[in-house]
């Protein structure tokens, strides 16, 4: 069996890959691996989820596993992933658990664990959890079993925390918020309203099956239409668990994660809040971002794709800002993980503070044409060893020269290989990416 944990927890089709039995066993193994059972008083766990229908039975299984291990459990209900991370720290919990498959469709779900302090688990700890699956253990009985209670009101603690981080209010700013029919459908509108914005909300009627369905940060057409129809100043879109955020300006143009990261990096540098005048980004960041940062006097540190790797580099080197093109941004002064709602509040605060439209702020960088093709139905484990693919990449890099680049990356969360090409023109990027995608399809079978 391959490794259960991907780049963002354990994911799969709920009820088939991610079963109630596996969820219970993972929770027991996590309690043991994280050392929160036996001899530590009354350990506490917080558990949150997004609105997926499968989250209901998975939550029950996770709670059962933790409580049977002697861990007291606070059920947070439907909340964003970063809210669970924050509340793990704020409530001094020993472990946090989030049930979500982020931007994936409704049939999928996932389990993500946080250690004390709301920190994501390093690979070694995840490996230890897998190793301890199904091991024999002494089961608590009587007064030693964990107790379970609801703590839905803690959502207000999270929103209040976000508002205290803002450099200024959003008074009078007209905002459309697309909540992806996901975990942010109540806390995002509340936070924006309390910050002073005039808010129109879409994608805020989850039914357990419509999460990310034609809405949210992976489907921006509805948000663009709503911004244009209402004459709003800006639109923001979250994904299913609200750990990422993208935006749309008043003209309907998309402002991606690279642009948001650039806006915040420049603003933080100018105010002396950007630690070491450095920002952390991934290998997927647009070349235009790197050029803009060089112009602004901001150093860029690159990591592998995945906000966990961005976070590791930030913590190791003492940096305060990092993120991904997808909209995962980490503001380490205020959060332990990527937080879409936090990102949106700080982005909007810059629009108000600088008294400039978002389109003007986003012009701090010029995006080079970038084409991304997701190739499904191939053996992604062979992407790094295929000689045919290596030869094709070398040829493409020779064609592009210094004005472009190629990145072939197996997805960490889905069964696919991503082909990314940047070039001087859209046509060239499409042509090179299409040729490489064909090679992936024929060589990784």
């Amino acid at each position: 069996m391959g490794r259960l944990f991907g780049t963002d927890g354990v994911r799969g089709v709920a009820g088939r890959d991610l079963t109630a039995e596996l969820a219970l066993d993972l929770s027991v193994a996590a309690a043991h691996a994280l050392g929160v059972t036996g001899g530590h008083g009354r350990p506490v766990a917080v558990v949150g989820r997004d609105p997926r229908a499968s989250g209901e039975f998975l939550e029950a299984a996770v709670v059962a596993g933790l409580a049977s291990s002697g861990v007291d459990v606070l059920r947070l209900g439907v909340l964003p992933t970063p809210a669970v991370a924050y509340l793990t720290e704020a409530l001094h919990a020993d472990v946090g658990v989030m049930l979500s498959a982020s931007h994936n469709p409704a049939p999928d779900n996932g389990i993500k664990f946080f250690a004390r302090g709301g920190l994501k688990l390093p690979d070694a700890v995840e490996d230890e959890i897998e190793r301890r699956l199904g091991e024999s253990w002494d089961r608590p009985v009587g007064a030693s079993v964990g107790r379970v209670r609801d703590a839905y009101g803690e959502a207000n603690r999270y929103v209040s925390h976000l508002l205290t981080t803002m450099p200024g209010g959003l008074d009078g700013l007209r905002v459309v918020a697309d909540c992806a029919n996901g975990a942010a459908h109540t806390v995002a509108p509340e936070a924006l309203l309390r910050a002073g914005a005039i808010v129109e909300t879409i994608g805020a009627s989850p039914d357990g099956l419509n999460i990310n369905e034609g809405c949210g940060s992976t489907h921006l057409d509805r948000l663009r239409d709503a911004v244009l129809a209402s004459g709003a100043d800006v639109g923001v879109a979250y994904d299913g668990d609200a750990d990422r955020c993208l935006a749309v300006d008043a003209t309907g143009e998309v402002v991606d994660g690279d642009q948001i990261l650039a806006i915040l990096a420049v603003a933080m540098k100018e105010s002396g809040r950007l630690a070491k005048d450095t920002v952390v980004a991934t290998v997927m960041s647009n070349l235009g971002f790197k050029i803009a940062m060089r112009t602004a006097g901001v150093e860029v540190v690159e990591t592998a794709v995945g906000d966990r790797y961005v976070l590791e580099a930030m913590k190791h080197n003492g940096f305060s800002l990092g993120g991904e093109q997808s909209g995962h941004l980490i503001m380490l002064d205020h959060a332990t993980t990527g937080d879409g709602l936090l990102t949106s509040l700080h982005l909007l605060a810059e629009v108000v503070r600088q008294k400039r439209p978002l389109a003007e702020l986003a012009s701090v960088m010029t995006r080079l044409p970038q084409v991304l093709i997701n190739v499904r139905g191939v053996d992604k484990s062979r992407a790094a060893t295929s000689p045919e693919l290596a030869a094709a990449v070398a040829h493409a890099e020779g064609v592009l020269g210094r004005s472009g680049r190629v990145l072939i990356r197996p997805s960490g969360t889905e069964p696919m290989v991503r082909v990314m090409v940047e070039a001087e023109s859209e046509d060239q990027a499409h042509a090179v990416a299409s040729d490489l995608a064909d090679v992936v399809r024929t060589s990784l079978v």
Side-chain angles (χ1 to χ4, degrees), residues 6-8 120 243-244 280-284 302-314 322-326 328-330 337-338 409-410 412-413 418:
T7 58
D8 210 16
K120 287 190 174 183
D243 63 353
R244 70 173 69 180
V280 181
T282 77
V283 293
M284 284 291 287
E302 278 194 351
T303 73
V305 174
D307 62 333
R308 66 183 299 166
Y309 303 115
V310 174
L311 179 59
E312 286 174 5
M314 293 173 67
E324 299 184 277
Q325 188 182 70
S326 61
H328 280 115
L329 267 68
I330 302 171
T337 188
R409 185 178 71 85
T413 58
R418 305 187 193 278

Side-chain angles (χ1 to χ4, degrees), residues 145-333:
V145 301
R147 306 300 297 271
V148 182
R149 66 181 178 89
D150 295 331
Y152 303 143
E154 295 298 340
N156 183 65
R157 186 193 299 262
Y158 168 65
V159 171
S160 296
H161 160 69
L162 294 178
L163 296 175
T164 65
T165 73
M166 295 180 63
L170 306 181
D171 294 348
L173 192 70
R174 298 181 61 86
V175 180
V176 179
D178 185 345
C179 300
N181 290 316
H185 74 281
T186 57
V187 292
E190 179 185 352
L192 291 166
L193 285 168
R194 286 173 58 180
I198 301 167
V199 184
E200 175 184 339
T201 307
I202 62 175
S205 301
D207 61 10
L209 302 175
N210 62 357
I211 188 170
N212 300 315
E213 189 176 83
C215 58
S217 63
T218 53
H219 303 278
L220 294 171
D221 288 344
R222 282 186 63 198
L223 178 61
R224 181 186 295 111
D225 292 344
V227 167
L228 294 174
S230 65
D233 299 305
V234 61
V236 292
Y238 312 104
D239 64 335
D241 69 335
D243 63 353
R244 70 173 69 180
C245 168
L246 296 180
V248 171
D249 67 27
T251 70
E253 288 295 313
V254 173
V255 178
D256 69 12
D258 283 342
Q259 292 168 295
I260 296 172
L261 188 59
I263 291 168
L264 295 182
V266 171
M268 290 174 65
K269 179 180 184 294
E270 291 176 348
S271 63
R273 294 178 291 125
L274 185 64
K276 302 182 182 179
D277 288 344
T278 298
V279 65
V280 181
T282 77
V283 293
M284 284 291 287
S285 291
N286 193 279
L287 282 176
F289 170 78
K290 299 172 189 175
I291 294 169
M293 293 299 94
R294 185 164 60 246
T295 301
V298 175
E299 184 178 346
V300 177
V301 171
E302 278 194 351
T303 73
V305 174
D307 62 333
R308 66 183 299 166
Y309 303 115
V310 174
L311 179 59
E312 286 174 5
M314 293 173 67
K315 290 175 65 65
H316 181 72
N317 297 288
F319 302 137
S320 55
L321 180 66
E324 299 184 277
Q325 188 182 70
S326 61
H328 280 115
L329 267 68
I330 302 171
M331 305 183 74
L332 205 51
D333 290 339

Side-chain angles (χ1 to χ4, degrees), residues 7 32-33 66 69 84 113 121 139 149 160 165 180 184 191-192 196 200 220 262 297 299 311 352 383 399 423 440:
T7 58
H32 295 163
L66 291 168
S69 301
V84 175
F113 295 98
L121 305 184
R139 299 171 184 268
R149 66 181 178 89
S160 296
T165 73
L192 291 166
E200 175 184 339
L220 294 171
E299 184 178 346
L311 179 59
V352 174
V399 171
V440 169

